[in-house]
């Protein structure tokens, strides 16, 4: 069993930046960020494999950057140019299977989430 702990959420004004972190308790192949806004389905934000391959959701391309410290089993999400529509609960997820894409069904382990609020 792998446990995931997210941190770094908070409140920011539109145009601002935040950096999220997710630490895994064990080694995994693929780690990803998902988000769920009130009244909406959870959507994939970004995923990154141990090999460094990345995959982004269309709504965040060019604004968000995912990175990973393999020595610390930690995934980061740098969020720039934040918009009010980025407001959501952000979840970290991980899997040991060798397919790395931000699709919910592929992930076995989930964190509790960290809230991001962007005001206009």
């Amino acid at each position: 069993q792998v446990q995931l702990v997210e941190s770094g959420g908070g409140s920011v004004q539109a145009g601002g930046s935040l950096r999220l972190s997710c630490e895994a308790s064990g080694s995994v192949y693929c780690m990803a960020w998902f988000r769920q806004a009130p009244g909406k389905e959870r959507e994939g934000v970004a995923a990154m494999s141990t090999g460094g391959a990345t995959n982004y959701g269309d709504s965040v391309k060019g604004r968000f950057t995912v990175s990973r410290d393999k020595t610390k089993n930690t995934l980061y999400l740098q969020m720039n140019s934040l918009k009010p529509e980025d407001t959501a609960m952000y979840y970290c997820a991980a899997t040991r299977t060798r397919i790395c894409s931000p699709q919910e069904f592929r992930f076995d382990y989930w964190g509790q989430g960290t809230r991001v609020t962007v005001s206009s």
Side-chain angles (χ1 to χ4, degrees):
Q1 189 75 6
V2 175
Q3 295 189 347
L4 304 173
V5 179
E6 303 103 331
S7 61
S11 297
V12 65
Q13 289 190 328
S17 298
L18 281 174
R19 188 192 195 208
L20 306 183
S21 299
C22 171
E23 183 172 0
S25 62
S27 61
V28 291
Y29 175 72
C30 178
M31 296 181 74
W33 290 100
F34 290 81
R35 67 184 182 185
Q36 187 166 22
K40 295 188 177 181
E41 293 185 353
R42 189 150 54 183
E43 67 168 330
V45 175
M48 189 170 191
S49 70
T50 53
T54 57
N55 194 325
Y56 291 92
D58 289 340
S59 62
V60 305
K61 286 180 180 177
R63 300 188 298 123
F64 291 9
T65 303
V66 65
S67 60
R68 188 167 173 178
D69 185 336
K70 289 182 287 185
T71 64
K72 298 180 181 178
N73 288 328
T74 301
L75 184 73
Y76 304 98
L77 184 68
Q78 178 66 43
M79 305 185 292
N80 298 328
S81 302
L82 282 161
K83 304 175 182 180
E85 49 264 44
D86 294 318
T87 295
M89 185 70 84
Y90 283 70
Y91 297 91
C92 179
T95 181
R96 289 180 169 141
T97 58
R98 296 273 170 166
I99 297 176
C100 196
S101 178
Q103 296 167 294
E104 193 171 346
F105 70 92
R106 299 190 182 278
F107 291 85
D108 307 301
Y109 309 109
W110 291 85
Q112 294 299 308
T114 184
R115 187 171 300 279
V116 172
T117 303
V118 184
S119 58
S120 58

